[in-house]
Amino acid sequence: MTWARKILRVNLTSGTVKEEALNMEWAADYIGQRGLGTRYLVEETDPKCDALGPDNKLIFATGPLTGTTVSTGGRYSVITKSPLTGAIACSNSGGFIGAELKSAGWDMIIFEGKSSSPVYLHVQNEVAKLVSAEDLWGKSVWETDKLLHEKHKDPQTRIAAVGRSAESGCLYAAVINDLHRAAGRSGVGTVMASKNLKALVVRGTRGVGNIKDPVRFMNSVAEQKQVLAENAVTGQGLPALGTQVLMNVINEVGALPSRNMQDNQFDGAGNISGEAMLEPRASDGKPNLTTNAACFGCTIACGRISTIDKTHFSVENKPEYWGNSGGLEYEAAWAMGADTGVDDLDAITYTNFVCNEDGFDPISFGATVAAAMELFELGAITTDQTDGVELKFGSAKALTWCADQVATGAGFGRDLGLGSKRLCEKYGHPDLSMTVKGQEFPAYDPRGIQGMGLTYATSNRGACHLRSYTVASEILGIPEKTDPLVSEGKAGLVKAFQDATAAVDSMGICVFTTFAWTLDNMAPQIDAACEGDWTVERLGEAGERIWNLERDYNNKAGMTGADDTLPKRLLKDAAKTGPAEGRVCDLDKMLPEYYELRGWTSGGEVTDDIRQKLSLPA
Amino acid sequence: MQRSLYIDPDKCTGCLQCEMACSYENEGVFNPSKSRIKVFTFHDEGRFVPYTCTQCDEAWCLHACPVEAITMNKSTGAMEVSESVCVGCKVCTIACPFGTVNYSQDTGKVVKCDLCGGDPKCASACPTSAITYVDADATGLDKMRAWAAKTDSANTAN
Ligand code: SF4
């Protein structure tokens, strides 16, 4: 085991909750979490369904290692069809609620239909019931969390919720758990709100046990914790500086996009870097960073706990923001900082708090603001739309105003909540949207890191760095150094990363372990814990199967090879400065080779041969 | 030599590896709610504080127990509960000033930290050395060293 072998099926239309056995044949092929959740979604929904209609389903899935003592073993994913992209959405989160759900005895919750009035699901071990959330609707995630904790008393209760941005239809709303961990991307929170589901409240006191070979398992876990501790990235860089360790590094290699990706380096990078978060500030002598923090079971602890300078304009008269909360991760700091040209650390820490407080994705939000700023500077958006706010690159005031608007869906916040693609279309400049399949880019310029261009173009959930993080190889030399400016060989690299990552995301552990671990380090742990023989080969094959299943879903949703592309800016406009100067992204050289390696048609479709080889559903 | 658990909350990241190690050793499952060491999160202050029994020499729990179910393990110095003797009266949970003896509904007995018989699993699981198992006579040594490092006589001499 350590699958709980139980699913909770919640029909929101009829208000019923029932227990089902987990399909163990599927678990053997798709592991858990991302893979297994996708298998259920594929079986039970039409890929062409309306993402925000009752026919879409919303799946919270843990992995077999979730809730065990394997380092980082607290992950869960939210799987559904994305309202932002129309493709499959699968957003992964840490914190504590995933392990809590497992400890309550459940592998997965499948929400279907739509409730006629706001509800939340309360799970207390084997008892689960829907409860009215009329009094919570219209409240932020943080208020909701507070009220539900007061109501349910037990402080160990874990809560995931959507905020006002999701309720008002922001297309990149997140599910926030444990106050500041997020299933952040692709609008999974928007789907949750569309079902009138406000929150998930979980308390599990049964624990996770049934380890196949306890002695081997505990030894393997201890050994692999040591590997993480001794690695420079997972043992030193991430605990000390968080993912923000990357800000200066990526700027130096000329791959830190700025001003809606017009530039590929940002002068203000140092001011919003991980190092800057350690600098004592003038007003109170305290640094932005208070401490690092771990998710459940994680021995890396890259999480940031931060405060905002009380004298900063964003929080001057708002004592509710003076305490500690979840601080900046690299992608968020890039999107709300470098991409908007804002180098005010307190301002972006404030917008980060607001993203958590009202549940929206800081990457999509920051990138959409950057697009809006470019539209404003072109005159396509004017102060008529923005209540008089000058939406200029570099304006911290404009940025914080935008966050406040999106949080509640007020005024121009509705437009910003559309995401970059729809915003740019609405204001007549579709080319200015820095998106793939409608999802905004994260923090790496594919002109300076070629593999990331292919990563973005072929990612099954639209532009995303977490589907194949070739930055590890191209910049950090993990597991092997490749040249970031060379596109040759990247098709194979991307495929290998995509397949391995799909397996990692399905086990219940964190992808950040892969700075130190490969499947070689994971296989002994899952094999000692779970029934069946789990070899590196089997995990790799499961990863490939999962990747193809997601791709097939997208094909059936109507996507083709034509959707595997990048904005013109990255294909035609050369990088202006730094080591990447003069380069565009050579996507056209990488893509055909990639399709061939995948065994897909030249139009990017999964073939029957591949379906058969990987025993995928028809 | 007796040893004590020494806890340095400044190093704690709130990962709960210690709680899982404890519950696994004592109950055979990974289950923070069954752990005898507890990590408290003070969210607004950004602090994580692990807390467990400090094994008092003059243990209130031991003295309060009417059936002598709590005895001192001479080699480890831990106050241990004998499950077969404990009648579940809970007087020790009232007597303990720190709240580290707790009743278990599952067994009808009380549970507390027993230093795992001299090899506390929380300390070996902790990735940050926020929990260490050190010479009982020198639990203050690390703190003294840290403060000593801050004492710069060269600068204060004039
Ligand atoms: S294992 Fe160590 S760092 Fe983790 S919660 Fe326990 S005391 Fe804190």
Side-chain angles (χ1 to χ4, degrees):
Chain A
M1 298 256 265
T2 70
W3 292 273
R5 292 172 169 259
K6 261 169 45 185
I7 291 184
L8 193 55
R9 187 177 291 279
V10 181
N11 189 305
L12 293 161
T13 307
S14 61
T16 53
V17 175
K18 65 177 211 263
E19 179 185 325
E20 254 175 44
L22 185 74
N23 186 325
M24 288 309 292
E25 267 170 49
W26 287 355
D29 278 348
Y30 297 89
I31 313 174
Q33 205 184 348
R34 174 175 163 187
L36 194 52
T38 304
R39 185 65 189 85
Y40 274 90
L41 189 79
V42 164
E43 186 74 10
E44 298 186 10
T45 62
D46 176 356
K48 289 200 158 64
C49 75
D50 172 4
L52 299 179
D55 294 341
N56 193 10
K57 297 194 182 185
L58 181 75
I59 302 177
F60 284 67
T62 64
L65 298 179
T66 307
T68 71
T69 194
V70 169
S71 184
T72 78
R75 310 294 303 186
Y76 78 98
S77 290
V78 181
I79 298 116
T80 187
K81 177 176 170 138
S82 163
L84 185 69
T85 64
I88 187 135
C90 172
S91 295
N92 184 310
S93 181
F96 296 85
I97 198 170
E100 199 72 27
L101 182 62
K102 190 72 168 291
S103 195
W106 304 100
D107 292 302
M108 217 183 261
I109 307 177
I110 300 179
F111 291 101
E112 49 195 36
K114 175 181 171 160
S115 172
S116 56
S117 61
V119 288
Y120 71 90
L121 181 74
H122 181 219
V123 179
Q124 171 90 32
N125 294 328
E126 34 294 300
V127 183
K129 53 176 191 274
L130 288 165
V131 185
S132 166
E134 296 277 12
D135 52 333
L136 302 171
W137 207 253
K139 301 232 179 324
S140 74
V141 172
W142 289 1
E143 269 182 281
T144 301
D145 186 285
K146 186 166 161 271
L147 292 168
L148 285 170
H149 268 116
E150 279 165 13
K151 179 170 169 186
H152 290 286
K153 307 259 174 358
D154 186 341
Q156 297 304 97
T157 299
R158 307 294 186 181
I159 293 166
V162 291
R164 292 172 294 180
S165 69
E167 291 175 12
S168 67
C170 167
L171 289 175
Y172 45 84
V175 176
I176 303 285
N177 58 276
D178 303 294
L179 294 174
H180 45 73
R181 305 312 307 180
R185 301 224 70 192
S186 313
V188 296
T190 320
V191 175
M192 183 158 158
S194 78
K195 299 193 171 303
N196 266 326
L197 178 64
K198 181 68 180 175
L200 170 61
V201 176
V202 185
R203 183 69 175 115
T205 62
R206 300 286 180 241
V208 176
N210 288 313
I211 301 296
K212 183 175 81 182
D213 185 340
V215 174
R216 184 154 62 90
F217 178 72
M218 292 307 271
N219 287 338
S220 181
V221 167
E223 199 177 304
Q224 298 306 333
K225 275 167 63 179
Q226 199 54 31
V227 172
L228 293 174
E230 284 165 9
N231 178 277
V233 179
T234 51
Q236 291 159 29
L238 287 175
L241 298 172
T243 50
Q244 275 274 63
V245 67
L246 288 165
M247 184 66 74
N248 287 319
V249 176
I250 302 298
N251 196 37
E252 268 159 41
V253 301
L256 188 75
S258 178
R259 301 193 311 127
N260 198 32
M261 305 190 91
Q262 295 181 75
D263 302 330
N264 59 305
Q265 286 183 309
F266 178 49
D267 281 345
N271 299 334
I272 55 168
S273 65
E275 290 82 351
M277 289 168 72
L278 305 179
E279 291 291 320
R281 55 197 170 213
S283 65
D284 59 3
K286 287 188 185 146
N288 173 286
L289 183 77
T290 303
T291 185
N292 65 327
C295 295
F296 183 92
C298 173
T299 60
I300 305 173
C302 73
R304 306 289 91 184
I305 301 295
S306 287
T307 56
I308 305 166
D309 186 341
K310 288 179 191 146
T311 64
H312 188 262
F313 76 84
S314 59
V315 297
E316 241 169 356
N317 300 311
K318 300 184 191 165
E320 66 271 29
Y321 293 101
W322 291 355
N324 280 277
S325 196
L328 289 163
E329 315 282 336
Y330 168 63
E331 309 297 331
W334 164 77
M336 300 187 293
D339 203 29
T340 65
V342 173
D343 69 350
D344 178 334
L345 185 63
D346 286 298
I348 59 175
T349 305
Y350 170 74
T351 55
N352 201 62
F353 279 23
V354 174
C355 285
N356 289 330
E357 181 183 21
D358 264 301
F360 52 103
D361 171 15
I363 305 179
S364 286
F365 164 69
T368 303
V369 172
M373 286 175 165
E374 192 170 355
L375 290 165
F376 185 88
E377 295 202 342
L378 282 174
I381 290 175
T382 67
T383 48
D384 289 350
Q385 278 93 34
T386 64
D387 267 343
V389 174
E390 299 275 336
L391 217 56
K392 290 202 171 127
F393 282 118
S395 168
K397 289 231 156 94
L399 175 73
T400 57
W401 176 81
C402 287
D404 292 341
Q405 298 290 107
V406 174
T408 58
F412 190 61
R414 289 250 166 207
D415 278 358
L416 288 170
L418 295 171
S420 169
K421 177 170 177 266
R422 291 171 178 84
L423 181 84
C424 291
E425 279 166 0
K426 177 169 176 180
Y427 288 98
H429 292 272
D431 283 359
L432 296 187
S433 170
M434 296 299 116
T435 52
V436 174
K437 302 182 175 76
Q439 178 157 286
E440 294 75 9
F441 284 94
Y444 311 88
D445 196 314
R447 292 168 293 198
I449 308 177
Q450 293 287 326
M452 290 310 282
L454 185 62
T455 288
Y456 294 150
T458 60
S459 157
N460 285 330
R461 65 169 185 176
C464 168
H465 57 296
L466 292 168
R467 288 297 175 265
S468 48
Y469 194 70
T470 61
V471 177
S473 163
E474 298 178 271
I475 304 299
L476 305 172
I478 302 167
E480 262 157 36
K481 183 82 173 91
T482 53
D483 186 340
L485 298 175
V486 170
S487 56
E488 213 185 335
K490 294 297 160 64
L493 189 71
V494 166
K495 177 180 181 293
F497 269 77
Q498 285 174 340
D499 292 348
T501 306
V504 175
D505 288 345
S506 301
M507 281 187 258
I509 57 177
C510 177
V511 74
F512 288 176
T513 57
T514 60
F515 288 114
W517 290 354
T518 63
L519 294 180
D520 286 318
N521 304 76
M522 300 169 196
Q525 300 184 82
I526 188 170
D527 183 62
C530 299
E531 66 204 65
D533 296 317
W534 291 92
T535 59
V536 171
E537 294 68 36
R538 181 170 169 196
L539 289 172
E541 191 185 291
E544 186 176 9
R545 181 178 299 119
I546 293 160
W547 188 267
N548 278 276
L549 184 69
E550 292 173 341
R551 176 75 183 193
D552 211 24
Y553 178 96
N554 287 350
N555 286 159
K556 286 171 182 154
M559 292 186 182
T560 66
D563 296 292
D564 297 340
T565 189
L566 299 174
K568 263 201 241 140
R569 176 164 286 168
L570 305 172
L571 299 172
K572 299 263 182 319
D573 301 350
K576 292 175 190 156
T577 59
E581 190 181 333
R583 292 304 313 272
V584 294
C585 179
D586 300 335
L587 181 64
D588 54 339
K589 292 195 189 130
M590 298 182 277
L591 197 57
E593 188 190 346
Y594 171 82
Y595 286 166
E596 214 178 296
L597 287 172
R598 282 272 171 224
W600 297 344
T601 66
S602 57
E605 310 247 359
V606 177
T607 60
D608 282 338
D609 279 359
I610 291 288
R611 275 193 203 97
Q612 217 162 22
K613 179 186 137 197
L614 298 170
S615 31
L616 288 170
Chain B
M1 176 188 84
Q2 261 185 25
R3 295 205 279 167
S4 298
L5 285 177
Y6 174 63
I7 290 174
D8 181 353
D10 276 350
K11 292 185 176 156
C12 177
T13 61
C15 71
L16 308 190
Q17 279 277 339
C18 52
E19 295 193 358
M20 278 190 281
C22 179
S23 62
Y24 194 71
E25 173 70 12
N26 292 298
E27 318 280 341
V29 287
F30 302 111
N31 188 354
S33 63
K34 290 260 182 330
S35 173
R36 295 152 189 207
I37 184 163
K38 298 278 181 205
V39 181
F40 295 90
T41 301
F42 299 92
H43 181 265
D44 281 4
E45 293 79 33
R47 268 172 76 75
F48 306 100
V49 184
Y51 202 80
T52 189
C53 173
T54 53
Q55 318 293 351
C56 317
D57 256 15
E58 287 292 321
W60 280 267
C61 59
L62 179 147
H63 290 305
C65 178
V67 295
E68 291 180 23
I70 302 179
T71 52
M72 184 204 246
N73 178 322
K74 295 248 165 42
S75 72
T76 63
M79 305 302 144
E80 297 179 350
V81 181
S82 165
E83 268 220 21
S84 56
V85 182
C86 173
V87 294
C89 73
K90 311 179 198 68
V91 169
C92 54
T93 69
I94 301 167
C96 175
F98 308 107
T100 56
V101 189
N102 284 282
Y103 177 71
S104 162
Q105 291 184 49
D106 293 352
T107 57
K109 315 277 174 178
V110 298
V111 286
K112 68 177 288 298
C113 170
D114 59 3
L115 297 173
C116 301
D119 177 17
K121 302 297 184 214
C122 55
S124 32
C126 177
T128 64
S129 305
I131 310 170
T132 46
Y133 192 49
V134 299
D135 183 343
D137 290 345
T139 48
L141 216 57
D142 271 0
K143 261 187 212 158
M144 281 168 75
R145 186 178 295 113
W147 282 104
K150 289 182 191 166
T151 311
D152 187 345
S153 54
N155 281 343
T156 52
N158 52 18

